[in-house]
């Protein structure tokens, strides 16, 4: 029931209106999500469990959003005042892990968390020795945490 309600609500949120056609499409999207969820759950031989520091990420992501929104705001004000905005690509140390499904999920979650803030987004996950190639509008030093660079 949770996948149905989640996708139903997200569809209506992104549609921006609750007309009859959009409600029908949201029901179809929610039904497809619930059906796919049941199919995957029945076919899985074992449960997938992603180990992540959820509590630490829960407060670091909003802090990164606030910090980077301020940085980008000041950078845009500098650009409006005809000063040069010196953004570009930078390397962020990152340990990508191995080739297990858990390592792939870790990389995906770390890339998503690092790309949420408006100042930076991940361009590429670099091959060993590892790292993230990030584009930053306003330069800042890389994060110290090589496992969860938020």
């Amino acid at each position: 029931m949770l996948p149905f309600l989640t996708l139903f609500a997200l569809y209506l949120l992104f549609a921006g209106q609750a007309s009859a056609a959009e409600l029908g499409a949201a029901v179809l999207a929610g039904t497809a999500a619930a059906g796919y969820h049941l199919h995957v759950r029945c076919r899985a031989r074992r449960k997938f469990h992603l180990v992540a520091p959820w509590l630490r990420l829960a407060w670091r992501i909003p802090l990164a959003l606030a910090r980077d929104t301020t940085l980008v705001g000041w950078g845009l004000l500098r650009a409006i005042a005809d000063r040069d905005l010196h953004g570009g690509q930078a390397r962020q140390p990152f340990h990508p892990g191995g080739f297990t499904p858990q390592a792939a999920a870790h990389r995906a979650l770390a890339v998503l968390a690092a790309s949420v803030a408006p100042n930076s987004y991940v361009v590429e996950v670099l091959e060993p020795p590892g790292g993230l190639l990030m584009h930053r509008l306003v330069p800042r030093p890389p994060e110290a945490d090589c496992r969860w660079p938020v």
Side-chain angles (χ1 to χ4, degrees):
M1 188 66 168
L2 185 62
F4 172 81
L5 292 175
T6 302
L7 197 56
F8 179 84
L10 283 176
Y11 185 89
L12 288 179
L13 179 70
F14 288 131
Q17 61 181 345
S19 67
E22 296 298 341
L23 283 172
V27 167
L28 288 175
T31 303
Y36 184 71
H37 179 260
L38 286 174
H39 172 72
V40 168
R41 200 167 82 186
C42 290
R43 300 281 298 178
R45 299 185 197 282
R46 59 183 169 166
K47 291 191 177 211
F48 178 77
H49 181 68
L50 176 62
V51 178
W54 299 110
L55 197 58
R56 185 171 51 157
L57 288 175
W59 67 267
R60 283 180 65 185
I61 290 175
L63 285 177
L65 272 167
R67 178 193 63 216
D68 282 2
T69 300
T70 305
L71 277 174
V72 169
W74 282 112
L76 291 175
L77 287 175
R78 288 176 49 105
I80 289 171
D82 289 335
R83 294 201 176 127
D84 208 8
L85 191 60
H86 298 289
Q89 293 183 348
R91 187 176 180 277
Q92 165 69 44
F94 175 64
H95 300 300
F99 297 102
T100 64
Q102 286 79 9
H106 169 257
R107 280 191 300 276
L109 187 60
V111 166
L112 176 67
S115 299
V116 166
N119 185 37
S120 58
Y121 62 89
V122 176
V123 176
E124 180 181 7
V125 178
L126 301 172
E127 295 295 322
L132 298 173
L133 183 62
M134 300 188 73
H135 182 274
R136 291 196 168 110
L137 295 173
V138 179
R140 66 176 179 84
E143 293 291 327
D145 189 358
C146 295
R147 185 115 170 100
W148 296 99
V150 176

